[in-house]
Amino acid sequence: MDAEGKGMSLTELFRPRTTVDLSKRPRRLRGSAAMRDLVREHTVRISSLVQPLFVADEGQTKGEIPSMPGIYRYSVDAAASETRELQALGIRAVLLFGVPDFKDAVASSAHDPHGVVQRAIRAIKAAVPEMLVVADLCNCEYTDHGHCGILDERGDVDNDATLEVLGRTALSYAEAGVDVIAPSDMMDGRVAYLRATLDASGYPALPIMSYAVKFASAFYGPFREAVDSMPQFGDRRTYQMDPPNGREAVREALLDIDEGADIVMVKPAMAYLDLIRAVSEVSEVPVACYNVSGEYAMVKAAALNGWIDEERIVDELLVAFVRAGADIIITYFAKSHAQRHQR
Ligand code: PBG
């Protein structure tokens, strides 16, 4: 036979060698727990996890969210004591979502200085000053039609009218003492608009974590049950991204960084690991990913049925987000993961 294998039959060409080359043995580094620990490439730091919290006005507090076992709507006081527990477990940040009593077409209760999120920010910062309080900034929990923006006479989301409301709400969160603003509405130009608004009002040091790459995803179903934000008509496809588009995701992230985002987020996480990787490769700022409600619900449902091992599944998922390039992980599993990994 010649060097290129010319003239050999396929069977000859692919015949296994009779002797295994024992110098190539990847299993050498898998032989014990200590060895596996020694060569482990990635770890999930508890301090990079963010726990989402639903804070509800009096009339809206209720027990567990049916599609999210272990997740609750808290009153303002209960949210503050929950935060104390999270702090004791080593969690450094919470992400607040409001469930208000009052909704109207223009999201008035979003920028009420005594609104539920504004009160929760004050209560949590008073109870646990070291906890980073991130506030999700969006209108969908506060509009009676359930859309993330203000609607024009045709029922379409009016981009610039929405920015104004977002700006007012961001300032009311800033005044309440929030540590990070996290716009999740997907309006065009909102990061630049919010940066300018905050800077002009004496908050140049307040960071913006942008939901830069946010898809119109079916994985948000349980969340919408949690906060009653299901659109009353239509869907969010005219402002959230189309799931098949990856190149556009990178472009959205770069746009937001250009507009002044301090952190960019990819959401959801499990079905978008490729985009966490792509964004982390080009981003000059930290990258967050959001392991969303539907992802939590799937794991919980299977675990409660005894079909999967929740603890191992969660460990595997969280480290996959880190391996993909996420610096920050927003996850409903933050608390239970921290509880299991306390030393
Ligand atoms: C608000 C918002 C949503 C989520 C975070 N912020 C819902 C949506 O866009 O419909 C989803 C979070 C989750 O599913 O856990 N716009």
Side-chain angles (χ1 to χ4, degrees):
M1 73 180 102
D2 63 39
E4 288 149 42
K6 272 197 207 114
M8 284 173 77
S9 72
L10 283 180
T11 342
E12 271 175 304
L13 196 57
F14 291 108
R15 195 192 342 260
R17 267 175 287 177
T18 42
T19 47
V20 173
D21 180 353
L22 291 180
S23 71
K24 301 194 179 76
R25 295 189 65 163
R27 288 183 55 198
R28 280 191 189 114
L29 300 184
R30 296 175 199 151
S32 66
M35 184 59 84
R36 292 190 293 275
D37 256 347
L38 185 72
V39 300
R40 187 154 293 149
E41 294 178 37
H42 299 285
T43 45
V44 177
R45 292 180 305 119
I46 303 298
S47 54
S48 63
L49 303 180
V50 180
Q51 175 73 50
L53 292 181
F54 298 114
V55 286
D57 267 331
E58 225 104 290
Q60 306 299 326
T61 50
K62 57 180 182 198
E64 218 172 34
I65 295 152
S67 53
M68 302 180 75
I71 303 296
Y72 302 81
R73 286 185 183 184
Y74 294 109
S75 67
V76 167
D77 288 347
S81 41
E82 176 67 8
T83 305
R84 263 193 217 97
E85 282 184 36
L86 294 169
Q87 158 81 5
L89 291 167
I91 305 276
R92 313 303 303 269
V94 292
L95 171 60
L96 302 186
F97 293 96
V99 190
D101 271 335
F102 180 74
K103 303 188 186 213
D104 63 12
V106 292
S108 309
S109 56
H111 45 78
D112 176 352
H114 304 292
V116 65
V117 169
Q118 290 82 352
R119 282 185 284 122
I121 294 168
R122 289 194 193 92
I124 292 172
K125 289 308 287 185
V128 193
E130 316 77 42
M131 182 64 73
L132 285 172
V133 176
V134 187
D136 181 89
L137 176 61
C138 195
N139 294 311
C140 59
E141 296 106 300
Y142 307 91
T143 51
D144 50 14
H145 46 71
H147 278 288
C148 300
I150 307 307
L151 304 180
D152 63 19
E153 53 297 333
R154 297 203 330 267
D156 291 335
V157 169
D158 181 334
N159 198 86
D160 295 4
T162 303
L163 294 188
E164 262 182 69
V165 183
L166 292 174
R168 288 178 70 174
T169 306
L171 284 183
S172 74
Y173 291 167
E175 277 151 25
V178 80
D179 294 299
V180 181
I181 297 280
S184 68
D185 52 285
M186 290 300 280
M187 293 305 115
D188 289 337
R190 75 214 203 273
V191 174
Y193 182 85
L194 290 169
R195 186 71 273 154
T197 304
L198 293 170
D199 289 354
S201 309
Y203 299 103
L206 188 58
I208 297 175
M209 172 163 78
S210 175
Y211 287 67
V213 179
K214 179 175 177 182
F215 287 94
S217 169
F219 282 101
Y220 310 149
F223 174 94
R224 292 178 189 170
E225 177 186 355
V227 303
D228 280 332
S229 70
M230 199 60 89
Q232 296 305 299
F233 60 90
D235 53 41
R236 304 209 201 290
R237 285 177 227 232
T238 67
Y239 39 104
Q240 298 181 348
M241 290 178 56
D242 200 19
N245 294 359
R247 195 188 302 131
E248 186 187 351
V250 172
R251 188 165 151 261
E252 276 279 9
L254 292 175
L255 261 175
D256 281 13
I257 293 168
D258 205 42
E259 289 183 29
D262 301 284
I263 299 171
V264 288
M265 191 200 299
V266 175
K267 174 189 173 188
M270 279 163 62
Y272 298 87
L273 288 176
D274 56 331
L275 301 180
I276 298 174
R277 160 90 359 238
V279 169
S280 77
E281 273 172 11
V282 298
S283 179
E284 295 164 2
V285 302
V287 175
C289 69
Y290 197 145
N291 176 213
V292 300
S293 59
E295 300 173 325
Y296 178 84
M298 290 195 308
V299 172
K300 278 292 189 186
L304 288 169
N305 267 301
W307 296 339
I308 59 169
D309 177 337
E310 175 177 335
E311 181 169 345
R312 292 193 52 206
I313 294 272
V314 172
D315 284 353
E316 202 171 322
L317 283 173
L318 298 185
V319 85
F321 303 146
V322 174
R323 198 182 62 237
D327 303 293
I328 299 163
I329 302 170
I330 302 167
T331 178
Y332 300 95
F333 290 114
K335 184 182 186 185
S336 55
H337 184 78
Q339 278 167 334
R340 284 198 290 263
H341 291 271
Q342 268 217 318
R343 295 261 148 82

